[in-house]
Amino acid sequence: MTPRTSHESASHWDASHWNASHWIVGPGALGRLVGLRLAATTAVTLVGRRPLPARQTLITPEGGTLTRGLATARLDALPEAAPAVVHLTTKAYAAETAYASLAPRLGPDTLLVLWQNGFACQPRLSARHAGPVLCATTTEGAYVQGDDRVTHAGHGHTFLGALDGRHGEPAAALASRHAAAGLPAEAVDDIRVRLWHKLAVNAAINPLVARFRIRNGQLRDRPFRPMVEAVIVEIAAIMAAERIPSPPEGWADLVWRVIAGTARNRASMLQDVLAGRPTEREAILGPLLTAARRHGIATPRLAELDAALTDARV
Ligand code: PAF
């Protein structure tokens, strides 16, 4: 049997370890939701590129408010002591730059949790970080209302796991801590498959709604419906070639179910385009196009959407 490293030793993920601080790096809506909830039992520091108010309020899905004072720090002026856990909650395209700023402050045992969409930074940061790395995928919904206020729009569920299936113990310990803080979570050994499933759904919805500036539900109507169907065919071929098991109901039913459930939403990529921000195009379409090239699969629709989103006129 392979000997355990220090961060895998049985006694390591006990209460004393967890009492050391958790840094939330990239305190947007999701980061602040996680931070404000965990702060009930855990020392939390919000780390951003610019200073944030220490007093933060969460509006709960039930309409209540939760206000807490949290420690805050800037990415270019970090506390000296290494954190126990870093929750990297930046957008996908900002994750690796943020990690580079943090790296000098991280200990060999610091647990890194990656909350990004897509499948771009996760394998690279899992290889780069010396300590354990978990990936998270969540259906919690939140949006920012201001520098000191975030709304938890709807309850969801979070899955946590390492890409290579290791680190079950810290994943289970972190999942219990999240669940106790009111964010249901579970440790899984197939996080890679779950990340690809989320990527597939995102790739079928986000580029089209961003390109045509429509709400998700409009994808069900002409002329968009056949476009979604054509994109799903390309995605399904790539997933099969990558040996990602299809969801039990099949790719098309999964995508149409998500579209129905989010019909009134302006999807995240559309919001980014409308606000003139960078999109997560590279993290979502990039891995699909790279895999398609590797397997010699033609993907004219995905390539066209990728080109259109790269174009500043979208
Ligand atoms: O990115 C988003 O907005 C969401 O992942 C989804 C599923 C496309 C719904 O809007």
Side-chain angles (χ1 to χ4, degrees), residues 191-229:
I191 197 75
R192 180 173 171 273
V193 169
R194 290 172 191 272
L195 289 169
W196 274 97
H197 279 204
K198 188 170 185 190
L199 179 152
V201 170
N202 272 314
I205 299 174
N206 263 309
L208 278 169
V209 294
R211 167 98 199 264
F212 296 106
R213 302 185 178 220
I214 54 174
R215 288 184 193 259
N216 294 358
Q218 291 173 267
L219 290 173
R220 294 174 294 191
D221 307 327
R222 288 206 160 263
F224 308 114
R225 193 177 187 92
M227 297 182 196
V228 179
E229 278 160 1

Side-chain angles (χ1 to χ4, degrees), residues 16-284:
S16 62
H17 182 86
W18 293 102
N19 289 340
S21 85
H22 287 220
W23 289 1
I24 308 285
V25 179
L30 178 65
R32 274 187 270 163
L33 167 64
V34 170
L36 274 156
R37 283 291 178 193
L38 283 181
T41 57
T42 308
V44 169
T45 301
L46 299 181
V47 179
R49 272 175 304 150
R50 60 190 180 86
L52 273 181
R55 216 170 156 69
Q56 290 283 333
T57 297
L58 178 74
I59 320 286
T60 69
E62 294 73 33
T65 57
L66 171 73
T67 300
R68 292 191 206 283
L70 300 178
T72 63
R74 282 203 339 257
L75 206 46
D76 59 0
L78 291 165
E80 283 295 329
V85 182
V86 169
H87 297 267
L88 195 56
T89 53
T90 62
K91 288 277 195 177
Y93 51 76
E96 285 165 273
T97 309
Y99 179 82
S101 307
L102 295 173
R105 287 289 199 281
L106 305 183
D109 279 352
T110 300
L111 173 64
L112 177 65
V113 188
L114 304 173
W115 290 82
Q116 283 66 36
N117 279 326
F119 197 78
C121 66
Q122 293 91 337
R124 292 197 288 260
L125 286 176
S126 295
R128 190 164 158 192
H129 182 60
V133 181
L134 299 177
C135 299
T137 169
T138 187
T139 52
E140 296 290 353
Y143 58 89
V144 168
Q145 289 228 327
D147 271 4
D148 64 349
R149 198 161 284 260
V150 61
T151 293
H152 186 190
H155 292 289
H157 196 89
T158 299
F159 295 100
L160 292 160
L163 287 184
D164 58 6
R166 290 160 69 222
H167 308 311
E169 197 182 340
L174 186 61
S176 320
R177 186 154 280 238
H178 278 247
L183 298 173
E186 77 191 87
V188 293
D189 58 12
D190 62 350
I191 197 75
R192 180 173 171 273
V193 169
R194 290 172 191 272
L195 289 169
W196 274 97
H197 279 204
K198 188 170 185 190
L199 179 152
V201 170
N202 272 314
I205 299 174
N206 263 309
L208 278 169
V209 294
R211 167 98 199 264
F212 296 106
R213 302 185 178 220
I214 54 174
R215 288 184 193 259
N216 294 358
Q218 291 173 267
L219 290 173
R220 294 174 294 191
D221 307 327
R222 288 206 160 263
F224 308 114
R225 193 177 187 92
M227 297 182 196
V228 179
E229 278 160 1
V231 164
I232 293 172
V233 168
E234 292 184 3
I235 292 171
I238 299 167
M239 293 294 165
E242 282 286 297
R243 296 182 191 280
I244 304 292
S246 56
E249 70 268 52
W251 292 109
D253 280 11
L254 171 63
V255 170
W256 289 117
R257 183 164 55 78
V258 174
I259 289 172
T262 61
R264 290 170 56 78
N265 280 22
R266 280 203 182 90
S268 54
M269 205 178 270
L270 172 59
Q271 291 183 39
D272 290 337
V273 165
L274 293 176
R277 291 188 295 256
T279 70
E280 294 190 305
R281 175 191 64 81
E282 255 183 282
I284 292 171

